[in-house]
Amino acid sequence: MSDETAPAAHTAPAPHGVTYRARHHRGTGPGHITPDGCSVSLYARLPAGDEPEIVAAAASSGATLLELGSGAGRLTRPLREKGFRVTAVDESAEMLAQIDGAPTVRSTIEDLRLDERFDVVLLASFLINTADDALRDALLRTCAYHLAPGGAVLVQREGEWHRTRTTGEEWEHDGMTVRIALREPAGGGAKRTRMEYAFEDAAWSQTFVSHDLHEADFAQALHRAGLTLDAYLTDDRTWARALPR
């Protein structure tokens, strides 16, 4: 774990988001499981994919970057290697213990209020697709609150690839077998998904509820938080940049 620690977040209770995750998210498998069903052991193994390159193309190297929902540092490490000065935020102490070389803050995203402001605020891992509308608004308010003048929020959304997957689909990814064990409607435009991840030596599952957040709804959510859509950063429109209004 990093010897450097960012200023502590405020200690107000985390009412709604934690309650929602506890009700609707589950995880199974060896090791510690976080409130949203994520396995620390699994997330420590996952590759970064192309996300660091997308972020690097949208922001200047050397920028200060607040990574919300950092997990075990899947993106933290490559972003630091690209020159970003990253502060990693997660509600799980076990996740943050996997991160070396970056200041860390233990907090839920919706309750985070630091004194520092950042050039870039990163909300990745499809967190914006929560099926809890109030929680989505709270996440975006946190993003807007921590922006430095001239800063930008980078958001990763579920795209068509996620919307069209069905129960029973399976594929290989970097030595891991990924399977959609369940995909079903959960009411109000939401869907319940159970993913299974298997390596040769261990297997995990994660069950979560997410919402198909269409572009108009996304734009409205940004507006409520005092943000406006600047541009989509990828052809599939899964990555977007938002600016203060």
Side-chain angles (χ1 to χ4, degrees), residues 8 12 18 35 66 92 108 119 134 139 149 161 164 166 169 204 207-208 240:
V18 171
L66 181 65
S92 167
T108 59
D119 302 319
L139 299 180
W161 183 89
T164 57
T166 59
E169 290 192 52
W204 294 268
T207 302
F208 56 92

Side-chain angles (χ1 to χ4, degrees), residues 60-201:
S60 300
S61 178
T64 58
L65 187 150
L66 181 65
E67 184 186 5
L68 300 176
S70 63
R74 183 177 67 90
L75 302 184
T76 313
R77 288 182 288 272
L79 288 173
R80 282 177 54 82
E81 290 169 1
K82 290 182 178 297
F84 291 100
R85 291 174 286 161
V86 182
T87 297
V89 177
D90 203 275
E91 67 179 310
S92 167
E94 291 80 7
M95 285 288 195
L96 293 176
Q98 306 298 312
I99 296 177
D100 291 317
T104 61
V105 178
R106 184 185 179 189
S107 174
T108 59
I109 297 171
E110 61 270 23
D111 289 321
L112 183 72
R113 293 295 183 270
L114 302 176
D115 294 334
E116 187 177 357
R117 300 297 183 267
F118 298 82
D119 302 319
V120 180
V121 177
L122 180 63
L123 187 68
S125 302
F126 317 118
L127 295 174
I128 193 69
N129 286 92
T130 175
D132 184 335
D133 293 339
L135 178 56
R136 179 183 306 110
D137 285 350
L139 299 180
L140 289 174
R141 285 195 298 270
T142 293
C143 292
Y145 179 89
H146 289 94
L147 272 185
V153 179
L154 304 184
V155 181
Q156 185 182 25
R157 307 165 56 240
E158 288 186 359
E160 186 67 21
W161 183 89
H162 295 272
R163 288 193 291 269
T164 57
R165 290 289 188 178
T166 59
T167 299
E169 290 192 52
E170 184 176 304
W171 61 94
E172 300 294 321
H173 180 65
D174 288 311
M176 171 178 62
T177 300
V178 183
R179 181 174 182 272
I180 300 178
L182 175 70
R183 200 70 175 273
E184 64 181 10
K191 59 184 179 296
R192 180 177 295 102
T193 302
R194 185 170 75 250
M195 302 294 299
E196 295 178 345
Y197 308 90
F199 289 87
E200 287 188 359
D201 61 335

